[in-house]
Amino acid sequence: MANKHCKVIPDCVIDMLAYDPSTGLLTWNLSRGSAAKGSIAGCFNGRYCVLKINRILYYVHRVAWFIHFKTQPVGLLDHIDGNTQNNRIDNLRIANDFQNQQNVSVKCDSRSFMKNVGITRFGTYRVRVSVAGKRIPVGIFDSVHEAREAAIVFRNKNHGEFANHGTKE
């Protein structure tokens, strides 16, 4: 497993940590250094919740999966709602890289404030959506509403359950 996200989680975590699938929180089963027994394990690093075990950094969502299912997560884990701090088991699913990329929200620098919708220099709206790593042109539209609807239809058809229509508010 060369992918940095796919570190093998040691079996000892099952004894060291408790996982609550309804909250997504990991807690320590024993005192470790400055962490008291029963305290929340891990912290948010600005992108994901992480924790250290034996000086190795692990993603909390992968450890949660391992404890819950008693098996190593294969490949990537996708946060269904896009919130990387929500590690409830019903918010996690196995995904490949393309599926994981489909479930992202609108980019923060989007001028149209809509996912996959760009504004052309002529004031029209261009829709381009990635499928399996290839950017597919969907069309050019006169109104942002037509462009948004075309993007939604295309994503639903091509991204299935991983379709994310998030907009920047």
Side-chain angles (χ1 to χ4, degrees):
M1 288 193 220
N3 189 325
K4 68 177 181 170
H5 302 291
C6 300
K7 292 178 191 166
V8 174
I9 300 161
D11 291 333
C12 66
V13 302
I14 292 173
D15 297 326
M16 297 169 68
L17 297 162
Y19 173 64
D20 182 345
S22 64
T23 64
L25 295 177
L26 291 172
T27 53
W28 292 107
N29 282 336
L30 44 95
S31 294
R32 288 182 47 120
S34 63
K37 179 180 179 179
S39 64
I40 294 174
C43 63
F44 185 65
N45 72 0
R47 190 162 178 202
Y48 291 99
C49 295
V50 295
L51 78 136
K52 271 191 181 177
I53 301 169
N54 300 328
R55 298 187 189 141
I56 299 173
L57 200 63
Y58 295 93
Y59 291 114
V60 167
H61 58 282
R62 296 186 67 78
V63 173
W65 184 278
F66 177 71
I67 292 172
H68 186 78
F69 291 111
K70 308 287 190 275
T71 183
Q72 298 287 334
V74 178
L76 299 175
L77 288 180
D78 180 50
H79 290 83
I80 296 168
D81 68 0
N83 177 359
T84 60
Q85 294 183 68
N86 178 0
N87 293 311
R88 291 186 345 261
I89 204 65
D90 63 357
N91 189 47
L92 301 175
R93 62 184 168 192
I94 299 286
N96 63 37
D97 190 48
F98 297 128
Q99 291 167 326
N100 198 38
Q101 288 300 314
Q102 290 164 353
N103 189 27
V104 295
S105 296
V106 67
K107 303 258 189 255
C108 63
D109 62 350
S110 171
R111 291 188 329 145
S112 72
F113 303 103
M114 305 219 175
K115 185 174 175 183
N116 305 120
V117 177
I119 303 172
T120 70
R121 64 182 178 174
F122 305 109
T124 56
Y125 299 88
R126 174 187 298 127
V127 177
R128 294 184 291 192
V129 181
S130 292
V131 176
K134 295 185 178 172
R135 203 170 196 186
I136 309 296
V138 176
I140 295 178
F141 302 88
D142 291 327
S143 81
V144 70
H145 301 293
E146 291 174 315
R148 181 177 186 276
E149 287 305 309
I152 288 171
V153 167
F154 189 88
R155 282 192 301 265
N156 281 339
K157 180 180 177 188
N158 292 279
H159 295 177
E161 69 177 293
F162 289 88
N164 178 330
H165 308 300
T167 58
K168 185 169 127 184
E169 311 264 338

